[in-house]
Amino acid sequence: MDSNSLTLYSTLDKLPTIAQQLLQYAREQKIWLFDGEMGAGKTTLIKALCAQLGVQDIVNSPTFSLVHEYATAAGVPVYHFDFYRIQHEEEALALDCLAYFESDHYCFIEWPTRIPSLIPPAHCQLDLAVMAANQRRLHVKLQGV
């Protein structure tokens, strides 16, 4: 394994620690891609990351609205995308996703495989896999660093 990737194993009770480790590991990355089957824990991990960043809003999946904007206690925006329901990249472009991606604020993107040509080259790729009912494997790779 190279220094640009790591694999972690987590249970729900360890998520705050895992989120803290991830934010430290990928501290230079603002674009985070979350891949994994339905129910793998993408939104749950994003909730933990947002909590570590100081987001005080309720964090839930923007499945129908495509994007939610949260704010940290300091008023810094954090963007959460869910592209599961889009059929074409043009739908993501219609909400001006590229402006969000270029904002230098955290952008947490679920189902990034739906917008492959829109993903910035520098990003943090997170692949989640279900290992058992309460255990997940998380492979993290820093791209474009």
Side-chain angles (χ1 to χ4, degrees):
M1 184 177 328
D2 62 48
S3 63
N4 288 337
S5 69
L6 74 127
T7 300
L8 302 168
Y9 294 87
S10 182
T11 54
L12 211 48
D13 61 318
K14 293 181 183 175
L15 268 183
T17 302
I18 294 291
Q20 187 177 33
Q21 289 173 338
L22 289 172
L23 287 165
Q24 180 62 31
Y25 177 73
R27 64 186 165 275
E28 301 298 320
Q29 298 298 324
K30 296 299 182 180
I31 306 297
W32 293 43
L33 311 180
F34 296 79
D35 272 326
E37 65 187 71
M38 191 77 72
K42 296 178 292 294
T43 302
T44 303
L45 179 55
I46 291 170
K47 287 179 185 182
L49 290 164
C50 285
Q52 289 296 316
L53 290 170
V55 168
Q56 300 185 346
D57 301 315
I58 294 172
V59 175
N60 53 35
S61 182
T63 303
F64 294 102
S65 60
L66 301 182
V67 63
H68 283 170
E69 179 178 339
Y70 312 119
T72 66
V76 177
V78 175
Y79 304 113
H80 179 189
F81 298 85
D82 184 333
F83 291 123
Y84 179 74
R85 297 199 180 282
I86 71 166
Q87 300 298 314
H88 306 283
E89 287 183 335
E90 291 76 22
E91 294 172 67
L93 288 170
L95 65 92
D96 203 13
C97 69
L98 297 180
Y100 289 100
F101 298 168
E102 295 167 0
S103 71
D104 201 35
H105 296 295
Y106 281 103
C107 292
F108 297 138
I109 304 168
E110 296 186 50
W111 302 100
T113 55
R114 307 281 182 154
I115 59 161
S117 72
L118 303 179
I119 300 298
H123 61 269
C124 178
Q125 174 72 44
L126 299 101
D127 295 304
L128 291 87
V130 177
M131 303 304 292
N134 189 35
Q135 187 177 38
R136 302 294 186 266
R137 182 186 71 229
L138 176 60
H139 182 74
V140 184
K141 180 147 180 73
L142 302 178
Q143 303 282 356
V145 291

